[in-house]
Amino acid sequence: MYTPFETMPDESKIWIYQSNRKLSDTEIVEIEEDLKVFIEDWSAHGTSLEASFLTKYNRFIILAVNQEVQQPTGCSIDSSVVFIQQLESKYGIDLLDKMNVTYKQGEFLTHKSLLDFKRMAKEKAVSENTIVFNNLVNTIEEWKENWEVPASESWHSRFF
C-alpha cells in the first residue's frame, strides 16, 4: 500500500540505491511510476506493506517500509531486490553495487569507485569536509540526520 513518503514515520526502515549515473527527468518519471505500481502490490506473507519511495538528485532511489504496520520479510525484501534488478536492466544502470561513493563537488554530484575515492582522499582531492552520501542509514530518521554529511561524520572517515 503506497503512502506518501513525507507521512511515513521516522522509524520506517529504508533501503537506499544509488545509480552509477545521473538519470534523466524522463527516466525518473518512468521509474517513479514503476515504483508506485511495485509498492501497491508489495506484501509480506500476504499482508500489504505500508511503504513509500523517494527519488533524490536524479540518482538515488529510497524505499521505505513502516515496520509498525507490518515487518518486511525475507521474501518481501527479495522481491524488492528483483524489482531493483529489473530497473537496472531496463535503464542500463547499476543500483546494487555498494562499492561506490557519491559525493558533492560544489553543486554537482560525483560518483566514484570506493578505490578511487580512497585514492583521492590520500591525494587530498577530497577531504573530511567533503559532503558524502551515507547510504548505510537504516531509518528515515537516520536518513534525515546522517545521509548528507561531511565524510568525517560517516563511515567514509576511515579514508582520512
Side-chain angles (χ1 to χ4, degrees), residues 5-158:
F5 192 87
E6 58 275 2
T7 65
M8 296 288 288
D10 280 348
E11 301 77 31
S12 297
K13 169 76 176 137
I14 64 168
W15 295 268
I16 300 175
Y17 302 97
Q18 71 180 1
S19 175
N20 60 320
R21 68 170 173 84
K22 184 177 181 181
L23 299 160
S24 72
D25 290 342
T26 302
E27 289 173 319
I28 289 293
V29 168
E30 291 173 5
I31 287 169
E32 288 178 345
E33 289 170 2
D34 291 344
L35 281 160
K36 197 160 188 181
V37 168
F38 169 75
I39 286 173
E40 282 296 335
D41 292 331
W42 200 15
S43 63
H45 297 300
T47 302
S48 223
L49 293 171
E50 183 177 301
S52 193
F53 69 89
L54 188 65
T55 57
K56 292 289 283 182
Y57 302 115
N58 287 45
R59 192 175 284 270
F60 298 94
I61 297 171
I62 303 164
L63 286 180
V65 172
N66 181 350
Q67 300 178 99
E68 300 296 315
V69 173
Q70 173 68 38
Q71 288 278 341
T73 61
C75 291
S76 62
I77 293 168
D78 288 349
S79 71
S80 69
V81 171
V82 168
F83 172 75
I84 293 296
Q85 288 171 327
Q86 291 168 346
L87 291 178
E88 286 183 318
S89 178
K90 182 176 180 179
Y91 294 98
I93 55 176
D94 186 358
L95 294 166
L96 293 169
D97 187 352
K98 303 295 185 195
M99 298 303 290
N100 294 304
V101 177
T102 300
Y103 60 95
K104 287 187 173 180
Q105 259 185 329
E107 294 300 309
F108 299 99
L109 298 186
T110 303
H111 181 84
K112 296 286 184 190
S113 73
L114 197 54
L115 290 174
D116 283 345
F117 187 82
K118 188 176 179 180
R119 179 187 48 75
M120 291 173 70
K122 283 184 179 178
E123 295 171 355
K124 306 219 183 297
V126 292
S127 75
E128 293 177 332
N129 297 321
T130 299
I131 301 298
V132 295
F133 293 88
N134 178 9
N135 297 325
L136 299 180
V137 294
N138 290 304
T139 64
I140 289 177
E141 181 176 28
E142 289 178 15
W143 172 76
K144 288 176 180 176
E145 296 173 4
N146 298 309
W147 184 50
E148 290 183 54
V149 294
S152 62
E153 296 177 24
S154 81
W155 63 269
H156 304 85
S157 64
R158 71 180 99 170

